[in-house]
Amino acid sequence: MITATQGVQVTSACGVCGGVLVRDLGRFIDRGLLRWGAEGRCRGCSDAWCETGTGPAPWEIRQALLAEHGAVRLRAVAGDAGLVPVLRALRETYHLSPAEARLRAAELSGAGLVGTSVEMAYLAEGLRRRSVATTLVPVPA
Ligand SMILES: [Zn+2]
């Protein structure tokens, strides 16, 4: 079940025939996993492929999504629960070391973490499961 999705279509020259290559790049949450996908097809020849994966998206996909849709900023609202649930959610979501999780947690409760809307929605969901309230706002371009 896909619960959040964001996509962008980009065109470039086909490496096979020089025609117009159309690529659909996207980020989505499927059955609780953060995934990315890329699907390409050429309008001039039969060149076509499809790739997908979990975890961090390839740089190019991330940049294309940020350019098309902008970034969002996620902040954790410090509650009575304190830092521990934030650290647990970060470690579960990103498989971070304790030291890395502490750095991210400090950012999250300070200036906030910035990313694509699906990435930040995924982290917000992990925090919500740990009863940590969050705010999500668009980053002005
Ligand atoms: Zn082609």
Side-chain angles (χ1 to χ4, degrees), residues 14 16-19 42 44-45 47:
C14 172
V16 179
C17 74
C42 178
C45 71
D47 199 34

Side-chain angles (χ1 to χ4, degrees), residues 2 4-6 26-30 33-37 52-53 118:
I2 292 174
T5 185
Q6 188 176 55
R27 199 84 164 108
F28 51 96
I29 299 172
D30 184 13
L33 280 178
L34 182 62
R35 303 182 63 86
W36 58 268
T52 181
V118 172

Side-chain angles (χ1 to χ4, degrees), residues 74-79 81-110 113 123-124 126-134:
L74 179 73
R75 280 198 180 103
V77 180
L83 193 60
V84 172
V86 177
L87 291 172
R88 285 198 176 133
L90 280 165
R91 295 195 62 191
E92 276 174 9
T93 306
Y94 295 124
H95 308 289
L96 299 175
S97 72
E100 287 168 332
R102 275 180 192 284
L103 280 175
R104 295 282 183 94
E107 288 179 65
L108 203 52
S109 52
L113 287 175
L123 178 55
L127 288 162
R128 199 188 57 73
R129 276 199 303 271
R130 295 278 181 188
S131 304
V132 178
T134 56

Side-chain angles (χ1 to χ4, degrees), residues 23-28 35-41 48-54 58 60-61:
R23 283 174 302 161
D24 287 302
L25 310 176
R27 199 84 164 108
F28 51 96
R35 303 182 63 86
W36 58 268
E39 202 179 332
R41 63 197 177 279
W49 80 95
C50 181
E51 273 182 275
T52 181
T54 51
E60 194 197 359
I61 294 180

